[in-house]
Amino acid sequence: MVDQGQLITQAVSIPVIGDGDNGYGNAMNVKRTVKGYIKAGFAGIILEDQVSPKGCGHTRGRKVVSREEAVMRIKAAVDARKESGSDIVIVARTDSRQALSLEESLRRSRAFADAGADVLFIDALASKEEMKAFCEISPLVPKMANMLEGGGKTPILNPLELEELGFKLVAYPLSLIGVSIRAMQDALTAIKGGRIPSPGSMPSFEEIKETLGFNTYYEEEKHYATSMRRLSSENVTSNSYDTQPMAQDDTAWRGQSSQDPIVEVITPEVYTNSGAGGSRDAFSGIWSRTLRVKITGRDGFEKLDVRIPAGFLDGITNVVPALGGVNLKELLNDAAEEVGGKLLLDFNDTVGDRIQVFLE
């Protein structure tokens, strides 16, 4: 709960109440739980009086600890908050309505308020009359309602109706998971039947990226971009990274959609000097040229478009493993006097992807 809670509280900017169940043990365990929830960033914690193992308050067979022990759990939670210097909200829940009686649940709620609870919560109240009676005790302490959608013991009311009764907080615990389950079932049924979910049943990819924070990330990333990264992202070229026009051999690729993903790896060009006096030999002139590697999948979509300086041949197989064993130096030597755009290689690898290598 602490690990998951930390992920949730870090992902949102609104207060999060964590369910602390029965505190996971005695009063000392309750203190440890509260302190853990505080460190996880929870704004509130719900603590109840069920025995272990606990269960849903709307199911049969609920059992609770004694009133004295239940109150001690709340006192321990209040002490843990004070020791931590925190303002975490303590929601005191009792399941004694179904386990014992309405009267006992009301008595426990009053005792919880006296012990320092910030919010009171009786689970599984059976009628609007019981809900109203609950809201009338300890009037200065806010009350919480639990609307178990789909068939719990408590009448399902909307927020305005609950406010009229006197409630200040409400949980609709199954709404999000319920609609998610139904949506996933519908989508899986469609896929199993050879269809895909209708566009109206799901957000667009752009909407998903916005929801997950991609666009915010991209904007922040610009603040830390290096000068070379800015040149690449803005499609600004210099002499070292000019893109040469494609020759006729490359015409077949011009029909590719401009929206298809293209990965371009830019690596500083490498030059080597050899021979007497630092002059370059006959082959070294080719090292100022650039290789362009294109990979197209069996489905026709472009997987990769990479430009690699010829002086980087030793590392090219790290980028395109399928070129392992190909004598690129020999091919380059044969094409030393060719103009840019010459097609050096055109083959399909073992998985059916088309690989083309051009000399620019």
Side-chain angles (χ1 to χ4, degrees):
M1 288 293 292
V2 167
D3 290 343
Q4 294 300 317
Q6 188 172 39
L7 295 175
I8 295 169
T9 58
Q10 289 177 350
V12 300
S13 58
I14 59 176
V16 179
I17 299 176
D19 191 350
D21 297 314
N22 55 13
Y24 312 112
N26 61 16
M28 297 301 294
N29 297 120
V30 170
K31 292 184 69 173
R32 180 176 183 271
T33 298
V34 171
K35 291 179 179 180
Y37 277 45
I38 291 171
K39 291 180 180 179
F42 282 110
I45 181 171
I46 302 173
L47 293 166
E48 65 193 53
D49 56 1
Q50 284 197 52
V51 300
S52 296
K54 61 145 290 175
C56 172
H58 292 254
T59 57
R60 66 176 64 184
R62 295 303 94 226
K63 295 181 180 180
V64 293
V65 299
S66 68
R67 191 191 312 166
E68 182 183 14
E69 183 176 348
V71 172
M72 282 301 174
R73 289 180 181 179
I74 302 305
K75 287 183 176 180
V78 172
D79 289 343
R81 174 175 61 187
K82 185 181 301 183
E83 292 169 7
S84 300
S86 170
D87 60 355
I88 190 170
V89 173
I90 297 173
V91 181
R93 161 180 162 173
T94 178
D95 288 76
S96 56
R97 167 61 189 92
Q98 295 300 320
L100 299 172
S101 67
L102 173 64
E103 290 72 21
E104 176 60 21
S105 66
L106 295 176
R107 282 192 288 268
R108 291 189 181 214
S109 295
R110 292 189 188 94
F112 293 161
D114 293 340
D118 302 296
V119 178
L120 302 178
F121 170 23
I122 299 178
D123 200 21
L125 290 168
S127 67
K128 290 181 65 173
E129 290 72 27
E130 291 187 5
M131 297 167 72
K132 185 173 178 59
F134 169 48
C135 290
E136 291 174 349
I137 67 167
S138 302
L140 297 180
V141 183
K143 311 301 188 301
M144 177 176 176
N146 182 27
M147 300 286 96
L148 190 68
E149 311 93 319
K153 295 183 179 298
T154 305
I156 304 299
L157 305 177
N158 63 44
L160 291 178
E161 292 172 321
L162 291 168
E163 187 176 23
E164 289 178 359
L165 290 175
F167 288 96
K168 298 298 184 183
L169 286 84
V170 57
Y172 291 93
L174 299 184
S175 292
L176 293 183
I177 191 172
V179 297
S180 299
I181 290 173
R182 181 56 54 84
M184 287 187 282
Q185 288 175 333
D186 291 344
L188 290 169
T189 299
I191 294 171
K192 185 178 180 180
R195 307 183 307 278
I196 59 174
S198 62
S201 67
M202 57 188 297
S204 67
F205 184 52
E206 289 302 317
E207 291 172 325
I208 291 175
K209 289 195 296 182
E210 177 65 27
T211 299
L212 296 180
F214 276 65
N215 296 332
T216 301
Y217 179 91
Y218 294 149
E219 287 301 314
E220 184 177 358
E221 187 182 32
K222 291 179 182 178
H223 294 295
Y224 307 103
T226 61
S227 58
M228 187 59 65
R229 180 67 179 228
R230 291 194 190 98
L231 289 174
S232 175
S233 63
E234 296 171 5
N235 201 25
V236 178
T237 59
S238 64
N239 290 335
S240 298
Y241 300 100
D242 280 343
T243 302
Q244 303 295 335
M246 291 184 290
Q248 192 167 3
D249 293 294
D250 203 19
T251 303
W253 295 93
R254 296 185 181 182
Q256 190 73 28
S257 168
S258 61
Q259 296 181 352
D260 288 341
I262 295 178
V263 178
E264 183 168 352
V265 177
I266 299 178
T267 309
E269 298 200 49
V270 178
Y271 299 91
T272 59
N273 292 327
S274 59
S279 62
R280 290 186 287 174
D281 59 28
F283 177 70
S284 65
I286 200 69
W287 293 73
S288 64
R289 306 285 288 277
T290 301
L291 291 179
R292 184 180 186 181
V293 182
K294 282 188 171 183
I295 301 178
T296 307
R298 291 179 299 176
D299 54 5
F301 289 100
E302 191 170 275
K303 288 186 173 182
L304 194 67
D305 190 347
V306 185
R307 287 176 174 80
I308 303 174
F312 192 60
L313 289 182
D314 289 341
I316 194 170
T317 54
N318 294 330
V319 180
V320 187
L323 292 177
V326 177
N327 193 340
L328 287 174
K329 287 187 177 181
E330 182 177 344
L331 292 174
L332 286 171
N333 193 31
D334 292 342
E337 303 302 324
E338 298 285 349
V339 297
K342 178 179 176 59
L343 179 64
L344 299 180
L345 284 173
D346 189 348
F347 67 97
N348 291 338
D349 64 12
T350 55
V351 298
D353 293 339
R354 184 184 184 189
I355 299 178
Q356 293 179 299
V357 180
F358 298 88
L359 175 65
E360 297 187 336

